Amino acid sequence: MSRVYNFSAGPAVLPEEVLKEAADEMLDYEGSGMSVMEMSHRSKVYDNIIKTAEQDLRDLMNIPDDYEVMFLQGGASTQFAMIPMNLMKNKVADYIVTGQWAKKAYQEACIYGDAKAVASSADKTFSYIPDCSDLPIRDNADYVYICENNTIYGTKFKKLPNTKGKTLVADVSSCFLSEPVDVTQYGLIYGGVQKNIGPAGVVIVIMRKDLITEDTLPGTPTMLKYKIHADAKSLYNTPPAYGIYICGKVFKWIKKMGGLEVMKQRNEEKAKVLYDFLDSSEMFHGTVVKEDRSLMNVPFVTGNEELDARFVKEADAAGFKNLKGHRTVGGMRASIYNAMPREGVEALVEFMRKFENK
Ligand SMILES: *Cc1c(COP(=O)(O)O)cnc(C)c1O
């Protein structure tokens, strides 16, 4: 067996320990005589899996009791619709557009009501986070929406926007559990788990309970009502059971590593190795404003498309996988999520150095 250094933006690298444990339990989960894939989601054994996963997530993020935790399906993209359908009471929402995912969420919200882009960094190909200290947030806005870490462009909000008292909704897909968060600053936090937590197919929603109501837009499908899932404790229908089980294992792994403070420190150290190199290299350059750099997704270029392509090809052959930048951006992107070991980043930098010298 040989494992590569996988810099994929998602689905992405998971902790080896977790994968091994899951493999060990594949045929017989804790004496049940069956795989978690094969068991009823209404069984006692599974009930324990999902409850433990929720509790561990609550512990890690310090989630207060007045917030609901939901394990849903449909990926992050389904939330682009579910959020306006459930939260647009006035049919007014303000969006901060810092990349493609934020833009898609904004465009989806336009289907349901009066969504407005109150700030954007599209003018400089999303290479920075706009100043959000005094935005023209509308008085009747139901919420203010951000994509906190921009997976494709490699920027991250280091400071949350001033929402002028409005509910903050955040897509944290690509920075989930990468550092401590103050959950109380948000009305709703959500993320697809395939970037930093588990297998694709699960989306986690953390939502303040007073926002979860029967009052949704007319025509909202039952499956897209938060209230249905909150009341049923994520078991309204068959949940993505196996995916949640793996998420639970990753929560345990993060706990064992020391929690989110330790994750943050590790991630900062790891990212610094790569950013320091990019800042000193004559060939490779980061594409993002320094203050807004993501700890998770690091895009870079040589400035020459042919050279970029050669680098990606040679890196791949040397065991550094999935470094090609997003199809809309080009260049390279190294996603260095929680489960990417520091040695992986160091080895990549060493490879880049050699490539440059050659
Ligand atoms: C990947 C990603 C999405 C889309 O996730 P899907 O689960 O494929 O719908 C949305 N937002 C962000 C920030 C992402 O990184």
Side-chain angles (χ1 to χ4, degrees), residues 15 25 78 103 109-110 122-123 138 152 156 160 174 208 220 234 243 252 306 328 335 354:
E25 293 171 351
T78 299
K103 192 173 161 198
C110 288
D123 59 336
R138 289 172 290 178
I152 295 171
K156 156 111 208 284
L160 293 176
S174 49
R208 217 176 58 227
T220 299
S234 304
K252 288 264 189 251
E306 271 168 40
T328 59
S335 293
K354 281 201 191 125

Side-chain angles (χ1 to χ4, degrees), residues 26-128:
M26 183 58 79
L27 296 183
D28 177 7
Y29 177 75
E30 289 192 352
S32 65
M34 60 181 95
S35 165
V36 173
M37 244 183 268
E38 303 170 300
M39 65 179 54
S40 165
H41 57 293
R42 310 265 175 222
S43 65
K44 244 204 180 96
V45 182
Y46 192 75
D47 195 55
N48 188 43
I49 290 174
I50 193 169
K51 285 214 172 87
T52 305
E54 174 175 343
Q55 190 54 52
D56 284 336
L57 181 64
R58 284 185 179 276
D59 295 346
L60 280 172
M61 291 179 74
N62 245 322
I63 301 174
D65 288 343
D66 60 331
Y67 281 76
E68 198 70 57
V69 173
M70 289 170 267
F71 296 98
L72 307 178
Q73 334 195 27
S77 300
T78 299
Q79 294 303 308
F80 298 169
M82 200 160 166
I83 287 161
M85 284 177 148
N86 285 265
L87 291 184
M88 264 190 173
K89 316 288 182 193
N90 299 328
K91 291 202 168 197
V92 175
D94 290 340
Y95 279 70
I96 299 172
V97 180
T98 51
Q100 279 193 37
W101 296 120
K103 192 173 161 198
K104 282 191 172 163
Y106 160 69
Q107 286 169 335
E108 191 74 9
C110 288
I111 299 172
Y112 302 102
D114 174 11
K116 185 178 161 195
V118 288
S120 166
S121 50
D123 59 336
K124 291 182 183 157
T125 49
F126 300 117
S127 59
Y128 70 104

Side-chain angles (χ1 to χ4, degrees), residues 75-77 80 101 147 149 151 171 173-174 194-195:
S77 300
F80 298 169
W101 296 120
C147 177
N149 185 80
T151 325
D171 174 357
S173 296
S174 49
Q194 73 272 30
K195 309 293 160 70

